[in-house]
Amino acid sequence: MKYDYLVVGAGLYGAVFAYEAKKKGKKVLVIDKRSHIGGNIYTENVENIQVHKYGAHIFHTSDRKIWDYMNQFAQFNHYINSPVAIYKEELYNLPFNMNTFSRLWNIKTPAQAKEIIEKQRREAGITDPQNLEEQALSLAGRDVYEKLIKGYTEKQWGRDCRDLPAFIIKRLPFRFTFDNNYFNDPYQGIPIGGYTGIIEKMLYGIEVMTDTDYFAFRKSNPNIAAKTVFTGMIDEYFGFKLGTLEYRTVRFETEVLDCDNYQGNAVVNYTDREVPYTRIIEHKHFEFGQQPKTVISREYSTEWHSGMEPYYPVNDEKNSALFARYQTLAEQEKTVIFGGRLGGYKYYDMDKVVAAALAEVKTELY
Ligand code: UDP
């Protein structure tokens, strides 16, 4: 066999695995069906601005080892994510914090905010939240839920908040300080020069074939590697034989505008149902850009269908049960490692992807 590992997918998971395998002296081939490396963290230069082509990626972690690991491949800037939310004519800071509450209720102190939320919580009468709606109501009360969560979540997931798992909303901080940092993690930033450079460095000196579809490639090269690291859709790997897992996809409407500052912030969420997109990203603000022009992307979230790019696994009960059955099949494929957001059908952040790849490396190579 020509290679020790065939890595399918040149995204973050595949690139970390390939980098570590090469370091251990293994022969690795990386293939990707797209015409470029980087998967969904790919960034491209437009008007001297790093555009996050498949959605905004902000690196953040609580794990010092993962932070140090990433810093081998790039220098990170001091960007702190602080989105704002527009609900009809009103504008709020995110995540849910004292700035949000003071704007909502014209109050000034944590005690006043807590009193209002406590009252709304009692009115909702939820003790053991079973879904996203109940979780949101019991965490933040009705006003926050109605104005900042319900519409956005239903646009993003295309499902009623009562049919979505509670953990999705637990990703967001909720605090009684005037702190607009979207993340609680101590390490955060955007790689200077973009994410593509990180993947290029990881894959340096490794054979990479882009525009290469695994399923076609496998037919003509059945025995090319001893093992495969598969980061595509796990259900597709098995020919959808147990049924199809659901994914959400995102359509981006990207525009170059002849103005230097369109919205004054990298991320502006539109949380009402009437605006059809979920958010607008103004890419230059991730890197404090001073360019004369700007690039913005409106994000439209829709259900995934064959031929589209899958972005988010839908981790509701039905899909989680189906995934568990695919996982049983995956365990029987002794020469295949499944990883990444699509291979693991998990709503992973980047740091968790790196951690999962490094954990796999440890069992596989050490
Ligand atoms: N969310 C919300 N309102 C917002 C932003 C997020 O209700 O203004 C909810 C929504 O359900 C979303 C989840 O929080 O799916 C996670 O948001 P996050 O910003 O982490 O999503 P991502 O950046 O991964 O798309």
Side-chain angles (χ1 to χ4, degrees), residues 174-232:
F174 177 77
R175 47 173 102 95
F176 290 95
T177 50
F178 291 91
D179 176 0
N180 295 327
N181 187 343
Y182 201 60
F183 302 114
N184 284 324
D185 297 320
Y187 309 107
Q188 179 173 179
I190 300 280
I192 294 168
Y195 285 94
T196 308
I198 292 182
I199 303 293
E200 273 167 6
K201 282 202 180 134
M202 287 175 176
L203 296 180
Y204 181 78
I206 295 173
E207 270 179 79
V208 179
M209 289 167 62
T210 49
D211 296 301
T212 303
D213 176 78
Y214 168 65
F215 299 101
F217 185 78
R218 180 169 71 174
K219 271 195 205 126
S220 39
N221 303 276
N223 294 313
I224 198 163
K227 277 196 158 182
T228 300
V229 176
F230 183 80
T231 71

Side-chain angles (χ1 to χ4, degrees), residues 94 132 148-149 152-153 156-157 168-169 171-172 182 269 271 279 312 341 347:
L94 291 175
L132 196 150
L148 299 174
I149 297 174
Y152 187 93
T153 300
Q156 154 114 35
W157 295 97
I168 291 179
I169 198 73
R171 290 166 61 88
L172 307 190
Y182 201 60
N269 291 0
T271 59
R279 57 188 169 195
Y312 296 90
R341 242 193 205 199
Y347 190 6

Side-chain angles (χ1 to χ4, degrees), residues 5-56:
Y5 292 99
L6 170 66
V7 175
V8 181
L12 188 55
Y13 187 99
V16 168
F17 189 94
Y19 173 79
E20 293 295 329
K22 177 176 183 267
K23 216 163 75 180
K24 278 299 261 183
K26 302 293 180 189
K27 282 217 73 186
V28 184
L29 172 66
V30 179
I31 63 171
D32 199 295
K33 67 175 173 188
R34 285 182 180 155
S35 60
H36 59 74
I37 59 169
N40 280 0
I41 71 172
Y42 175 74
T43 47
E44 70 181 2
N45 189 317
V46 179
E47 298 287 341
N48 242 345
I49 298 166
Q50 289 300 324
V51 171
H52 298 219
K53 178 122 190 252
Y54 304 93

Side-chain angles (χ1 to χ4, degrees), residues 84-103:
V84 297
I86 294 183
Y87 174 79
K88 301 185 191 280
E89 294 304 307
E90 303 161 18
L91 186 145
Y92 297 96
N93 288 109
L94 291 175
F96 315 118
N97 75 89
M98 280 305 295
N99 291 305
T100 327
F101 308 142
S102 96
R103 193 63 175 253

